[in-house]
Amino acid sequence: MILDLLFPNRCIHCNRIISPELLVCNVCFDQIHFTHYDFSGNNPVREKCKLLFPVENTYALMQFEEQGLSRKIIHELKYRSREKAGKILAEWTAERLDFRDKTPDLMVSVPLHPKKLKERGYNQLHLFTETLSILYGIPYHHELIKRNHYSKAQALKDREHRLSTANAFSLTQAVTGKHILLIDDVFTTGNTVSSIAWEILNAGNNKISVLVMAMDL
């Protein structure tokens, strides 16, 4: 296409021209620090979650590093209108994540407040979740959880506000007897995931597992 010739897709790290369906070139891809966590075993995400709520299994695709390529990838997805990056991240996840006999019943992603959704134009987790749903054959529910309060970008919050997540989320309908995979982009303090997890756990006989794009160590 003419637009592809005039504005070719470029690697977000080195600026080399690459295929339209890629985020990074092959050389830069090797610089991404994938975690290779075992979904059913112990890993840093699970250890942190266990301090906050009862958790079944956990997985993080990448290590989140301030000066690393994973940060650039997440930034492109969230703030530079690269919604399609979610599909690529999901494909990378499916190549590495094996649920084995621990396959969840339902995928639920962290919601945006309607005002934030209107500002950004999309939820950065939706295409990621929808692609995983197709690849693994697990249904998803984007409206199960709602965010009750509008807040500024996480990166702009001070630590006190990051830790304040009381009554931040609520369920839109009853759910019980489900193993729910809760999906977020970056796991830092775990307070957002914990707040949602307790809403789901308190609603009935449910179990929670966690999947994140990146783990901030």
Side-chain angles (χ1 to χ4, degrees), residues 5 26 71 86 114 142 163 165-166 169 185:
L5 294 174
N26 291 334
R71 181 181 183 276
H142 287 328
L163 295 175
T165 54
F169 302 94
D185 45 31

Side-chain angles (χ1 to χ4, degrees), residues 15-40:
N15 210 38
R16 181 183 285 111
I17 294 176
I18 55 176
S19 175
E21 67 271 12
L22 299 178
L23 274 176
V24 295
C25 67
N26 291 334
V27 174
C28 293
F29 181 82
D30 291 336
Q31 299 180 39
I32 300 173
H33 292 160
F34 294 107
T35 68
H36 306 292
Y37 289 164
D38 181 355
F39 181 70
S40 302

Side-chain angles (χ1 to χ4, degrees), residues 9-10 17 24 28 35 44 49 58 89-90 93-94 98-99 110 119-120 145 150 159 185-186 191-192 210:
N9 187 39
R10 294 181 178 273
I17 294 176
V24 295
C28 293
T35 68
C49 285
T58 57
L89 287 164
T93 300
D98 184 357
F99 290 121
V110 174
E119 290 173 354
R120 185 171 294 169
I145 299 289
Y150 173 81
R159 182 171 177 82
D185 45 31
V186 180
N191 286 282
T192 295
V210 173

